[in-house]
């Protein structure tokens, strides 16, 4: 990848950081409607396809809320669940509200959901080291400098759904979704559904 494709987003990131101080107390109020799907502790709810949020870094949460709001995630070609979330992001009136909500979510603690994906974790480990660790980190802790979210602590059912969404193009194919496009290319490297399940089962086996 040419260096400019890495450096430019970083510079943009710095430029975008000019917002007022985060206010988690205001974020708590803003989070009230979110709790209906994501849970009061940000634990997620599989029956509503709403993922756990409490393990995620605020910077990633804000980036995704921005994408949902502008339609580069959850737009016309997206899954029903992503479109549902896009409608919710539209209720956050401005960027400061996103920062405040994300700052509140960062104060939450929740249990990780139980294992639902059973697959060959050894194969998964090998795929992970080969194709994923460079961006998401060896312990799947994420890397904000590469816009790569934490995966340790994520729901296995949600990771599976997102990898299939990237592979089918329902996530990461909007032209302005630069980071989604990067991830889409990586999801496509996995040879088949078995490999997708294996890498998810491996990530779920890591300490959160
Ligand atoms: C009606 C249920 C519902 C409500 C209410 C809701 N969400 Fe969601 N949210 C979802 C679903 C479903 C997804 C998964 C979207 C997908 O499959 O791509 C999601 C995804 C997300 C993600 C992306 C997580 C990731 O790992 O990429 C964030 C961040 C998020 N929601 C934050 C919020 C916030 C903040 C609110 C309140 C303003 C909120 N949600 C309200 C259903 C909901
Ligand atoms: C080139 C860097 C890079 C590599 C390599 C990479 N990813 Fe990602 N991944 C990202 C970025 C960036 C995002 C956030 C996409 C966005 O902004 O929508 C992401 C998002 C994800 C998500 C969605 C998380 C969420 O909370 O919604 C999953 C799951 C994921 N990656 C799994 C993997 C797996 C499994 C591999 C290896 C097969 C992998 N990634 C390889 C950069 C990468």
């Amino acid at each position: 990848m040419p260096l400019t494709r890495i450096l430019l987003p970083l510079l943009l990131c710095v430029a975008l950081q000019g917002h007022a101080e985060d206010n988690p107390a205001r974020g708590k109020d803003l989070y009230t409607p979110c709790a209906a799907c994501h849970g009061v502790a940000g634990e997620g709810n599989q029956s509503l396809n709403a993922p756990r949020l409490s393990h995620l870094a605020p910077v990633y949460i804000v980036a995704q809320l921005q994408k949902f709001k502008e339609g580069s995630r959850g737009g016309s070609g997206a899954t029903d669940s992503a479109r549902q979330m896009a409608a919710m992001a539209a209720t956050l009136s401005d960027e400061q509200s996103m920062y405040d909500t994300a700052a509140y979510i960062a104060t939450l603690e929740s249990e990780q959901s139980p294992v639902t994906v059973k697959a060959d974790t050894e194969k998964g480990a090998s795929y992970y080291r080969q194709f994923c660790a460079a961006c998401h980190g060896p312990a799947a802790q994420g890397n904000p400098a590469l816009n790569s979210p934490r995966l340790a602590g994520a729901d296995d059912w949600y990771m599976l759904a997102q990898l299939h969404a990237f592979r089918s193009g329902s996530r990461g194919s909007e032209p302005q979704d630069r980071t989604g496009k990067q991830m889409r290319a990586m999801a496509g490297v996995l040879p088949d559904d078995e490999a997708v399940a294996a890498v998810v089962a491996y990530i779920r086996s890591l300490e959160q």
Side-chain angles (χ1 to χ4, degrees):
M1 181 183 303
L3 198 57
T4 46
R5 282 187 52 193
I6 300 175
L7 286 179
L8 201 64
L10 278 181
L11 290 173
L12 271 174
C13 232
V14 172
L16 286 172
Q17 272 167 2
H19 65 279
E21 207 171 312
D22 300 340
N23 182 347
R26 179 170 176 261
K28 184 177 185 193
D29 290 339
L30 291 166
Y31 184 74
T32 307
C34 320
C37 293
H38 293 284
V40 284
E43 70 274 24
N45 184 339
Q46 184 179 4
S47 65
L48 299 173
N49 302 309
R52 185 181 192 220
L53 299 177
S54 60
H55 64 294
L56 293 170
V59 63
Y60 174 76
I61 293 182
V62 170
Q64 296 305 308
L65 290 172
Q66 283 165 334
K67 286 189 190 204
F68 281 121
K69 192 163 180 181
E70 79 188 18
S72 61
R73 185 173 172 190
S76 56
T79 58
D80 288 348
S81 55
R83 288 160 69 157
Q84 213 179 10
M85 180 53 217
M88 291 312 304
T91 66
L92 292 170
S93 54
D94 52 27
E95 205 152 81
Q96 190 60 46
S97 302
M98 297 180 187
Y99 281 105
D100 291 347
T101 309
Y104 175 67
I105 294 170
T107 69
L108 298 174
E109 280 178 31
S110 71
E111 294 286 315
Q112 188 175 13
S113 60
V115 170
T116 66
V117 178
K118 302 219 166 64
D120 187 340
T121 50
E122 256 173 61
K123 257 195 204 157
S126 145
Y127 287 126
Y128 187 83
R129 279 192 291 269
Q130 214 181 330
F131 301 129
C132 320
C135 291
H136 291 282
Q141 71 275 26
N143 184 344
L146 298 174
N147 308 299
S148 306
R150 180 182 185 87
L151 300 174
D155 311 288
D156 58 6
W157 57 265
Y158 174 73
M159 289 191 279
L160 196 72
Q162 294 306 308
L163 287 171
H164 285 302
F166 281 120
R167 283 162 71 85
S168 72
S170 56
R171 180 172 172 187
S173 49
E174 292 293 330
Q176 72 275 38
D177 186 5
R178 188 182 44 79
T179 53
K181 234 179 288 170
Q182 264 176 14
M183 182 52 219
R184 192 181 167 207
M186 291 316 301
V189 165
L190 294 168
D192 50 28
D193 288 0
E194 201 188 324
V196 174
V199 80
V200 166
Y202 171 69
I203 298 168
R204 179 60 184 78
S205 77
L206 296 170
E207 238 172 85
Q208 66 158 308

